[in-house]
Amino acid sequence: MYVLGIETSCDETSLSVVNKRRVLSNTVWSSLNLHAEFGGVIPEIASRQHLKSLSFVFSRSLEKAGIGKKKIDLISVVSSPGLIGSLLVGINFARALGYALGLPVIEIDHLKAHLFAAFLNNRSRINVPSLGLVVSGGHTELYWMQGFENVRVLGRTRDDAAGEALDKVGRLYGLGYPAGPLIDKLFDLSLVNKRLFEIKGLKHTLDFSFSGIKTKAGYMYKQRNGRFSKEEKIGILSSFQYGIVSHIIEKINSALSQYKVRRIICGGGVAANFFLRQSLIELCRRKKLRLFLPDIAYCSDNGSSAAGLGFYMYNMSKGLGNNNQ
Ligand code: KG4
Ligand code: ZN
């Protein structure tokens, strides 16, 4: 069974071929360089670039997988949430291709696809009570889940997403866009001031909030007119990342005290962050939980996760069960 996954929810045009959960190709083309000067993704530019790139990314993806288009059995496309123009380009491409090839097209959820990334290229059971965490540039959400058809939101950010906060503060401190991966590289635990960006509010809920510490980082920058030594700057950015990760871990701990789960599944662009990964590994070791983290290549938006989830959802909708290892 060959599944073509199509992901165009933001700036990445990604088409991948997956056989059950085994990735045969993961082709990602990004228009990120065209957005960098604006400090964020410009929806109009992203949609137009998807239109330009879809055909060649599709050909490249089939070539890498070593199959022709007639071999495809199912098309899975991300249909929400995301930038509406960008999503529509992907959905219409999927539907036209499905019509031309006489194939079923399944529309899937972007955030669930981020979580499915942890199940690519392995045969782990899916249908187990779990805590899910999506941390990306657009979302920060916590779920109770059992399989992918039984998912309940426990909490979500009330303002910025974790990636968005990292990007905005990093950009202010001169790192450009997107700053998340660069802060990750610069991060130095020995320079962290743990109190500096401690998030104190929202103790009574599983919702997140990052805008308070983002504003604080902005004030600090203004107070000093942006004049910092290199070490000071790394210290501030490391403390900021520490504050974000600590808030996430605190919310997971709270959720674990309320819900009985056997494992934690994490996905989204920020799941590539080394300190967050280490913190989750440590937490799961202490709590004796199993941790599902995607390979770095499948943390950010990609068609493989869309294809894997599409195959799973298609089987469930046909009553074929989730035995798709
Ligand atoms: O999941 P994604 O590719 O797109 C959305 O659905 O939003 O996530 C992109 C976000 C950006 O904010 C980016 O800065 C962040 O993920 N990101 C990282 C890292 N790699 C990507 N943040 C922290 N550490 C990283 N290594
Ligand atoms: Zn995403």
Side-chain angles (χ1 to χ4, degrees):
M1 181 94 178
Y2 293 103
V3 185
L4 176 73
I6 302 175
E7 152 66 84
T8 63
S9 64
C10 194
D11 57 298
E12 279 102 355
T13 313
S14 179
L15 281 84
S16 308
V17 180
V18 165
N19 183 357
K20 295 184 181 173
R21 276 154 64 179
R22 196 159 63 86
V23 178
L24 302 182
S25 66
N26 185 51
T27 314
V28 185
W29 188 89
S30 173
S31 58
L32 200 61
N33 57 330
L34 299 176
H35 306 284
E37 65 173 294
F38 303 105
V41 173
I42 306 294
E44 173 78 14
I45 296 178
S47 318
R48 288 181 187 278
Q49 292 306 312
H50 287 308
L51 268 179
K52 280 192 187 156
S53 55
L54 263 168
S55 290
F56 76 77
V57 178
F58 175 49
S59 308
R60 184 78 57 81
S61 187
L62 291 184
E63 212 175 279
K64 273 198 202 158
I67 62 163
K69 51 179 173 285
K70 295 222 167 90
K71 281 267 188 190
I72 303 169
D73 299 294
L74 173 69
I75 298 168
S76 172
V77 60
V78 169
S79 65
S80 77
L83 303 174
I84 186 64
S86 293
L87 288 165
L88 287 174
V89 176
I91 294 167
N92 282 312
F93 183 86
R95 288 188 183 167
L97 190 66
Y99 182 72
L101 298 175
L103 293 175
V105 177
I106 184 162
E107 296 185 7
I108 53 112
D109 180 88
H110 177 177
L111 304 181
K112 286 184 185 169
H114 272 310
L115 293 171
F116 200 89
F119 294 98
L120 292 171
N121 294 327
N122 64 57
R123 296 162 69 93
S124 301
R125 266 186 68 204
I126 290 177
N127 193 11
V128 176
S130 308
L131 205 61
L133 170 73
V134 171
V135 258
S136 70
H139 297 86
T140 300
E141 303 199 350
L142 203 54
Y143 312 93
W144 178 90
M145 53 195 286
Q146 179 151 14
F148 282 83
E149 59 293 353
N150 192 2
V151 178
R152 205 166 86 224
V153 179
L154 302 180
R156 52 165 59 109
T157 182
R158 294 198 178 173
D159 37 62
D160 290 7
E164 185 184 2
L166 286 166
D167 289 343
K168 285 179 177 165
V169 168
R171 182 168 176 246
L172 181 65
Y173 282 77
L175 297 189
Y177 175 83
L182 294 172
I183 298 180
D184 184 10
K185 273 203 194 114
L186 290 174
F187 183 76
D188 185 340
L189 192 54
S190 71
L191 296 179
V192 164
N193 173 348
K194 295 184 180 172
R195 290 269 176 81
L196 195 56
F197 295 110
E198 197 181 345
I199 300 173
K200 296 195 178 115
L202 291 185
K203 298 284 181 214
H204 57 289
T205 109
L206 293 175
D207 283 350
F208 302 84
S209 171
F210 301 104
S211 70
I213 59 166
K214 179 191 72 179
T215 306
K216 183 171 181 185
Y219 278 135
M220 287 173 62
Y221 188 87
K222 266 201 192 143
Q223 258 173 6
R224 297 274 297 266
N225 277 329
R227 280 195 286 275
F228 298 98
S229 70
K230 194 173 168 201
E231 191 172 295
E232 280 175 327
K233 213 184 240 188
I234 295 176
I236 290 170
L237 292 172
S238 298
S239 305
F240 188 72
Q241 185 191 280
Y242 183 91
I244 285 191
V245 172
S246 302
H247 189 49
I248 292 171
I249 297 295
E250 191 187 312
K251 293 295 170 187
I252 293 178
N253 267 318
S254 271
L256 290 174
S257 65
Q258 298 171 46
Y259 297 91
K260 204 167 157 36
V261 295
R262 303 229 299 269
R263 50 199 207 174
I264 294 177
I265 305 166
C266 181
V270 184
N273 186 275
F274 181 77
F275 183 60
L276 175 62
R277 292 173 87 90
Q278 289 305 109
S279 305
L280 288 170
I281 290 168
E282 174 56 23
L283 174 97
C284 287
R285 193 189 55 75
R286 271 193 293 112
K287 303 267 181 192
K288 296 190 172 41
L289 295 170
R290 204 166 156 204
L291 176 63
F292 285 77
L293 269 176
D295 287 347
I296 302 289
Y298 307 122
C299 285
S300 52
D301 295 341
N302 69 87
S304 305
S305 307
L309 176 63
F311 180 62
Y312 173 92
M313 296 305 265
Y314 185 76
N315 281 346
M316 295 306 274
S317 72
K318 297 279 168 208
L320 299 170
N322 66 1
N323 185 23
N324 63 344
Q325 279 88 356

